[in-house]
């Protein structure tokens, strides 16, 4: 989850220099020393040229064998606020390790975590204090790592720290973008608390924690499926079905989540509603078997041509049809993903900076900055293409797993139905639907469903089916 969040930034300490014009006047006068390099970077960051100065900031970090001073740390903060951490993740690990910067520690910890070096990642994160601007995201990542280590007590503590730190900074920031990032980070941490409780089998607590995530949050649509599973393990199957039916609402037409149908079929089977389970399985095969085969062929034919996948998404965003309807559906899902939107936003801003710099004067500095931002924009395109491909591959993997689950449910349903045929005392009550079968907690209310989807009702539907077991 932490990969979907950009680092927030502190307000840069006002620079003593005048920005671009001052940097252009002083650039290239004699041999640029490390201190001269530092001055140029600070001036350009102060002028808002975040993307074109990324290669120079990376070069400075490599050449500077000491921790960043407070002014450079502030400049890096401001850059990361715009660019995200992705451009800096390519720095050599030995370079990242020697810096004591809180931002660099966070970047290194992400890399170590991906490598499975959990304790080393925690050691880096523990060096970032609660007053640092990155702390809400650091606490989030710490919670994720402790969860992977099955240290649920510390994980929940970290997620709570993340929620508190995020809310504290939300109230202070004037930036809408930064507020959105902090709110998303907070909501992922609320989800982290619920997931920890779920992992410990405390489904009642988990249910209440999930309900603390507001429906307007970018996190909520994906959380709805987790809530459905939580209700399943509470044996509240009618609520599970109600959570899942919300995905049929037009507002969720971008979601491609084959696991929802598997859980739906499994829930019907648990309630011994075998006809419903069978129909769900049959509909799934009829709708997705051939498209899933076509998707596999498509992915194999394109390999790892990331620029193709970038162009594929660009065409999709221009309303040009993809080669396959299933690809179109998955692309619609990917483009709604928070991580994709943040990377796309960074690319758009980088292109804007490129166009601005082309109109500037400044001799060799201007030429080098244009080259820098063009290179960075190309890197963003490649990264976006890789992300799109990974999303398509991931959805194919989900489809493959879903078909395995559906095969099991189909066989198990037949077996259970056959067994019941031999039970002479089985009484089949054909009445379907009664409010007395609905369970609710103190945060849930009851009203009649009139056949329409309303935004404030999504996620709160509950079926009223009687189990026939």
């Amino acid at each position: 989850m932490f990969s979907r969040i950009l680092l927030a930034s502190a307000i840069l300490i006002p620079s003593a220099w005048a920005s671009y014009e001052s940097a252009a006047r002083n650039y290239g006068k004699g041999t640029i020393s490390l201190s001269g390099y530092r001055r140029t970077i600070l001036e350009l960051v102060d002028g808002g040229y975040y993307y074109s100065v990324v290669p120079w900031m990376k070069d400075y970090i490599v050449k500077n064998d000491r921790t960043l001073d407070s002014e450079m740390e502030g400049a890096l903060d401001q850059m990361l606020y715009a660019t995200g951490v992705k451009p800096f993740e390519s720095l050599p690990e030995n370079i990242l390790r020697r810096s004591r910067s809180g931002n660099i520690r966070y970047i290194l910890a992400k890399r170590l975590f991906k490598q499975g070096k959990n304790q080393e990642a925690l050691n880096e994160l523990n060096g970032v204090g609660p007053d640092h601007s990155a702390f809400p995201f650091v606490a989030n990542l710490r919670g994720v790592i402790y969860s992977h280590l099955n240290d649920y007590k510390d994980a929940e503590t970290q997620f709570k720290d993340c929620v508190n730190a995020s809310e504290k900074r939300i109230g202070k920031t004037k930036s809408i973008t930064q507020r959105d990032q902090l709110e998303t980070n907070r909501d992922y941490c609320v989800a982290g608390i619920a997931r920890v409780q779920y992992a410990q089998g405390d489904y009642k607590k988990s249910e209440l924690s999930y309900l603390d995530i507001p429906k307007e949050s970018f996190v909520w649509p994906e959380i709805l499926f987790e809530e459905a599973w939580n209700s399943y393990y509470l044996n509240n199957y009618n609520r599970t079905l109600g959570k899942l039916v919300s995905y049929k609402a037009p507002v969720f037409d971008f979601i491609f989540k084959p696991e929802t149908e598997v859980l739906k079929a499994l829930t019907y089977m648990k309630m011994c509603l075998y006809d419903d389970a069978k129909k769900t399985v049959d509909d799934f095969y009829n709708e997705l078997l051939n498209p899933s085969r076509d998707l596999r062929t498509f992915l194999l034919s394109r390999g790892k041509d990331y620029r193709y996948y970038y162009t594929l998404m660009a065409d999709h965003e221009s309303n040009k049809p993809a080669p396959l309807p299933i690809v179109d559906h998955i692309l619609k899902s990917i483009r709604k993903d928070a991580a994709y939107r943040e990377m796309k936003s960074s690319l758009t801003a980088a292109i804007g900076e490129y166009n601005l710099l082309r109109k500037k004067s400044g001799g060799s500095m201007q030429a080098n900055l244009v080259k820098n931002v063009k290179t960075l924009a190309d890197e963003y395109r490649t990264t976006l293409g890789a992300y799109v491909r990974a999303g398509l591959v991931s959805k194919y993997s989900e489809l493959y797993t879903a078909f395995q689950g559906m095969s099991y449910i189909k066989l198990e349903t037949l077996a259970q139905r056959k067994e019941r045929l031999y039970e002479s005392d089985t009484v089949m009550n054909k009445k379907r639907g009664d409010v007395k079968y609905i369970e609710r907690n103190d945060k849930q209310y009851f009203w009649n469903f009139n056949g329409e989807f309303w935004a404030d009702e999504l996620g709160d539907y509950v079926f009223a089916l009687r189990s026939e077991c």
Side-chain angles (χ1 to χ4, degrees):
M1 69 188 73
F2 61 88
S3 61
R4 303 181 175 191
I5 304 167
L6 291 179
L7 224 55
S9 72
I11 298 175
L12 182 62
I13 300 171
S15 174
W17 300 289
S19 71
Y20 182 88
E21 288 73 18
S22 177
R25 284 195 300 270
N26 292 292
Y27 182 80
K29 290 186 177 179
T31 302
I32 296 181
S33 62
L34 199 60
S35 61
Y37 214 2
R38 173 184 176 278
R39 175 177 173 174
T40 301
I41 291 169
L42 287 171
E43 288 174 341
L44 290 169
V45 170
D46 191 45
Y49 296 91
Y50 308 124
Y51 298 91
S52 53
V53 82
V54 163
W56 291 355
M57 176 64 89
K58 290 166 69 174
D59 195 33
Y60 179 85
I61 292 171
V62 170
K63 291 177 178 177
N64 179 42
D65 58 1
R66 290 177 291 182
T67 187
L68 296 180
D69 60 74
S70 61
E71 205 166 13
M72 284 298 280
E73 176 85 13
L76 181 58
D77 261 352
Q78 192 159 339
M79 289 176 65
L80 293 175
Y81 167 57
T83 68
V85 300
K86 186 68 70 176
F88 292 87
E89 289 181 349
S90 60
L91 285 170
E93 191 169 309
N94 64 310
I95 300 299
L96 294 174
R97 283 184 179 278
R98 77 187 185 198
S99 174
R100 299 297 89 192
S101 160
N103 291 304
I104 299 299
R105 283 177 182 270
Y106 176 79
I107 293 169
L108 176 58
K110 282 186 63 179
R111 178 181 293 184
L112 293 170
F113 175 60
K114 290 177 182 178
Q115 295 172 356
K117 300 176 181 178
N118 298 316
Q119 191 54 55
E120 288 187 52
L122 287 172
N123 292 341
E124 294 296 332
L125 294 173
N126 289 338
V128 183
D131 294 331
H132 196 281
S133 62
F135 182 76
F137 306 95
V138 167
N140 189 348
L141 181 51
R142 274 205 295 242
V144 172
I145 296 173
Y146 280 125
S147 295
H148 277 261
L149 294 172
N150 297 325
D151 185 347
Y152 298 124
K153 181 179 179 181
D154 283 338
E156 188 167 351
T157 297
Q158 292 302 320
F159 285 131
K160 288 179 178 178
D161 286 347
C162 165
V163 172
N164 293 332
S166 297
E167 289 184 340
K168 181 180 178 181
R169 285 165 173 77
I170 288 170
K172 293 181 178 180
T173 182
K174 295 181 180 179
S175 164
I176 295 175
T177 302
Q178 188 175 353
R179 186 181 302 117
D180 288 345
Q181 292 172 354
L182 287 165
E183 287 177 349
T184 300
N185 187 63
R186 176 201 61 197
D187 294 343
Y188 270 117
C189 288
V190 173
I193 294 170
R195 288 164 177 163
V196 166
Q197 293 164 342
Y198 175 91
Q200 295 177 92
D202 196 342
Y203 304 121
K204 283 290 186 182
K205 271 190 178 181
S206 181
E207 180 180 55
L208 294 173
S209 294
Y210 275 125
L211 292 174
D212 288 334
I213 300 173
K215 291 183 180 181
E216 62 270 18
S217 170
F218 288 121
V219 175
W220 185 70
E222 64 183 270
I223 294 303
L224 193 56
F225 179 64
E226 297 179 24
E227 288 188 75
W229 267 114
N230 195 79
S231 295
Y232 178 88
Y233 281 110
L234 284 169
N235 300 323
N236 193 346
Y237 304 125
N238 276 311
R239 192 166 294 278
T240 294
L241 294 170
K243 297 286 184 186
L244 297 177
V245 79
S246 292
Y247 284 119
K248 300 293 185 182
V251 70
F252 287 146
D253 67 342
F254 65 92
I255 289 178
F256 184 86
K257 207 167 186 65
E259 307 102 312
T260 59
E261 293 302 302
V262 178
L263 179 55
K264 177 181 172 184
L266 184 63
T267 303
Y268 280 135
M269 187 180 74
K270 274 286 189 178
M271 300 178 77
C272 300
L273 300 172
Y274 300 122
D275 288 339
D276 298 279
K278 182 179 183 300
K279 184 177 187 307
T280 302
V281 173
D282 290 345
D283 288 348
F284 187 83
Y285 271 88
N286 292 336
E287 181 182 348
L288 290 172
L289 182 58
N290 288 331
S292 68
R293 290 170 174 166
D294 293 339
L295 176 60
R296 181 178 184 275
T297 301
F298 170 78
L299 291 170
L300 289 174
S301 70
R302 288 298 172 179
K304 295 184 178 181
D305 185 353
Y306 299 140
R307 293 308 293 264
Y308 169 80
Y309 287 105
Y310 169 78
T311 303
L312 178 70
M313 178 60 92
D315 287 344
H316 171 78
E317 291 175 331
S318 299
N319 296 318
K320 296 179 182 178
L324 298 169
I326 191 172
V327 172
D328 256 331
H329 195 172
I330 296 173
L331 292 178
K332 187 185 293 186
S333 179
I334 293 172
R335 69 185 287 192
K336 290 283 188 177
D337 187 272
Y340 175 83
R341 289 165 19 133
E342 287 164 0
M343 286 188 287
K344 183 63 184 292
S345 176
S346 294
L347 171 61
T348 301
I351 293 172
E353 189 170 307
Y354 170 79
N355 292 331
L356 179 63
L357 282 166
R358 289 183 64 192
K359 301 174 183 177
K360 289 274 188 181
S361 60
S364 60
M365 188 189 81
Q366 184 261 1
N368 285 326
L369 288 176
V370 168
K371 182 179 178 181
N372 284 352
V373 73
K374 185 176 183 300
T375 299
L376 185 63
D378 286 340
E379 290 176 3
Y380 277 131
R381 291 186 182 97
T382 300
T383 301
L384 283 166
Y387 191 87
V388 170
R389 181 185 181 275
L392 288 164
V393 170
S394 176
K395 291 303 180 183
Y396 173 75
S397 178
E398 289 177 21
L399 278 166
Y400 183 83
T401 302
F403 277 113
Q404 288 182 316
M406 287 299 199
S407 295
Y408 160 77
I409 293 170
K410 187 174 185 178
L411 293 173
E412 186 64 20
T413 298
L414 289 171
Q416 290 186 22
R417 173 176 275 175
K418 181 178 179 182
E419 182 179 339
R420 294 193 69 206
L421 288 174
Y422 294 99
E423 295 178 359
S424 58
D425 60 343
T426 298
V427 178
M428 300 296 289
N429 187 338
K430 296 299 183 182
K431 181 180 179 182
R432 291 168 66 90
D434 194 321
V435 296
K436 70 181 181 181
Y437 302 124
I438 296 177
E439 299 176 26
R440 63 183 179 87
N441 60 43
D442 292 339
K443 292 184 180 180
Q444 295 161 337
Y445 303 92
F446 174 79
W447 61 84
N448 291 319
F449 176 54
N450 61 9
E452 298 173 345
F453 288 97
W454 296 93
D456 58 350
E457 296 175 2
L458 291 175
D460 292 322
Y461 298 117
V462 184
F463 279 42
L465 299 175
R466 177 183 183 277
S467 173
E468 296 184 356
C469 295

